[in-house]
Amino acid sequence: MEQRDKPIGVFDSGLGGISVLRACVDLLPREDFLFFGDSAHAPYGEKSLAEVRRLTLAAVDHLLDQGVKGVVVACNTATSAAIHLLRQAHPDLPVIGIEPAVKPAAQAQESSSVLVMATPLTIREDKYQKLAAAFCHQANVISLPCPGLAEMVEQGLFDGPVVDAYLQDLFLPFRYCGVEYIVLGCTHYPFLRRAIARNFGRPVAIIDGSQGTARQLRRQLEAKGLLSQRAGRGTVTFQNSLPEKLAMSQTLFQMDY
Ligand code: DGL
């Protein structure tokens, strides 16, 4: 098989990266995609840096063993912990990461306060700290670690009293801070978009980095002559380190959120 007809590997600590997968499939419908979710080890965002690095390198090896032509790390946490190591280990492989969409939120004209929701590990890592510092002259960037929130998505909780109680508590200190944008800095959170909007309690723009990541994937494949030239639609295959999560992967892929 020609290199350009091989699948694109997409990886997340669990099911959240399916939000990024969807943006990639929408933009590149002719490609084959192989999504690997490591739900057996989720959440990554509350593990040590060394552990997340080890798990991320192993997950990418798992995709490479199946002959993928490029890898999307559809996880902000794994990107902040290990993207540089992946690029060092695989210098010829297109490796696309995701980071919280602080830039478009901070640069939006009407923006003065931007609330960034992400995992504790993403927020404490250098990569995010530098990103937030780069835009702090354009907006008041408020970093909000959300321990336990990705886990709710892993368990299929998108709404209801547990989610509402968590979000109401989380947002209480920010309700009157003049926040115009909420950045979803974890790929699990787009599946909670409606609950987040409702529990914030007043109108706010909510953005995530999935479309920017899909565009970056297209740019990199194009630059390397690796875009599939096939005429019809490609396929999407799901794998998960917890096989019982496969049915839910399909559900999330089709979910309206
Ligand atoms: N989906 C991951 C992210 O974008 C993190 C979820 C987890 O903690 O495993 O950061």
Side-chain angles (χ1 to χ4, degrees), residues 124-173:
R124 75 167 184 261
E125 272 311 292
D126 231 38
K127 194 170 190 309
Y128 171 76
Q129 289 297 325
K130 285 186 181 144
L131 177 72
F135 294 99
C136 66
H137 62 286
Q138 285 174 346
N140 174 28
V141 179
I142 307 165
S143 306
L144 182 58
C146 307
L149 192 55
E151 197 50 24
M152 291 189 198
V153 174
E154 284 295 303
Q155 287 166 12
L157 285 178
F158 308 109
D159 228 322
V162 176
V163 174
D164 285 350
Y166 179 101
L167 291 172
Q168 299 236 341
D169 263 17
L170 188 77
F171 291 146
L172 198 58

Side-chain angles (χ1 to χ4, degrees), residues 9 18-19 28 73 147 166 170 208 212 222 225 236 251:
I18 294 170
S19 60
L28 299 167
V73 181
Y166 179 101
L170 188 77
D208 66 70
E222 201 165 28
V236 178
T251 308

Side-chain angles (χ1 to χ4, degrees), residues 12-13 16-17 42-46 74-78 98 119 122 150 185-188:
D12 181 37
S13 62
Y44 280 19
E46 289 151 61
C75 176
N76 294 265
T77 307
I98 186 165
T119 68
T122 296
C186 166
T187 57
H188 282 66

Side-chain angles (χ1 to χ4, degrees), residues 9-89:
V10 183
F11 153 69
D12 181 37
S13 62
L15 303 173
I18 294 170
S19 60
V20 181
L21 173 70
R22 269 174 51 161
C24 295
V25 173
D26 283 350
L27 194 67
L28 299 167
R30 293 177 182 184
E31 302 289 341
D32 286 342
F33 288 90
L34 173 56
F35 180 89
F36 175 65
D38 191 13
S39 295
H41 300 106
Y44 280 19
E46 289 151 61
K47 289 189 159 46
S48 72
L49 182 60
E51 182 70 347
V52 173
R53 286 182 170 161
R54 188 185 65 74
L55 291 167
T56 302
L57 290 169
V60 169
D61 281 348
H62 171 74
L63 289 169
L64 286 172
D65 287 346
Q66 298 175 81
V68 298
K69 66 181 174 186
V71 171
V72 179
V73 181
C75 176
N76 294 265
T77 307
T79 299
S80 56
I83 197 88
H84 59 296
L85 300 176
L86 290 170
R87 291 187 176 133
Q88 259 166 35

Side-chain angles (χ1 to χ4, degrees), residues 3 25 51 58 88 92 108 159 170 176 179 198 227 248:
Q3 188 68 3
V25 173
E51 182 70 347
Q88 259 166 35
D92 298 326
D159 228 322
L170 188 77
Y176 304 105
V179 170
R198 196 182 56 251
L227 284 173
M248 202 165 135

